[in-house]
Structure formats: structure tokens, C-alpha cells
Amino acid sequence: VPFQPKAAMFWFYKYANGLPYGWLDLLNFVGISVDTKGTICSTFVTDFLRAGAVPIFNAEPSRDIAPFQFLTSELLTPVEGAL
């Protein structure tokens, strides 16, 4: 699936630029429902990729995506030894 960086960056500047990190949103992963004005890494990356036309994790809400799920996505290729 070709990534469209211009569309993703448009989304970033319109919706995500300046958002604080959602520390309390991490509680969602232990069963405590919290919705703050911030974002966490896995939510941000999911929304960014979707804005760039990558249909990652189907229609599952981005707030429900845990970081480990990126390892299991068939749409992402692991990068080993990149650094």
C-alpha cells in the first residue's frame, strides 16, 4: 500500500500538532477507561498512517491499538539493523 506523506502531514498539522502526550490514556490498556486531550504513540502512528492512505488495523479505533500490534501488522515491514 503506497504511503501518501503529504496527506499524512496535512492531517498532522490540522489535528495532532501540539497535542500533549496522553499519560493518563495509558490506563486504557489496563481496563480503566480514560479519554483525555492528549495522544499516545500507538494512537498517533495509527492515525498518521491512516491519514496517509495506509489501511492499518482495519476499522479498529486507533485508541484501542496497543504498541505490540505494530509487530503483527502485515502492512508493515520490520526494519532490522537500521541504526
Side-chain angles (χ1 to χ4, degrees), residues 54-70:
V54 177
I56 194 159
F57 307 120
N58 301 311
E60 188 173 350
S62 61
R63 69 180 178 278
D64 296 339
I65 304 299
F68 78 88
Q69 289 175 266
F70 288 91

Side-chain angles (χ1 to χ4, degrees), residues 8-77:
M9 290 306 296
F10 178 82
W11 171 86
F12 171 77
Y13 286 114
K14 186 170 182 178
Y15 298 106
N17 192 24
L19 281 178
Y21 191 81
W23 291 104
L24 292 177
D25 290 299
L26 293 171
L27 294 172
N28 289 313
F29 295 119
V30 295
I32 300 171
S33 183
V34 177
D35 187 17
T36 67
K37 302 272 187 219
T39 188
I40 59 173
C41 301
S42 54
T43 299
F44 169 79
V45 173
T46 300
D47 290 338
F48 187 78
L49 290 173
R50 287 176 177 170
V54 177
I56 194 159
F57 307 120
N58 301 311
E60 188 173 350
S62 61
R63 69 180 178 278
D64 296 339
I65 304 299
F68 78 88
Q69 289 175 266
F70 288 91
L71 294 173
T72 62
S73 173
E74 67 282 350
L75 296 177
L76 302 176
T77 303

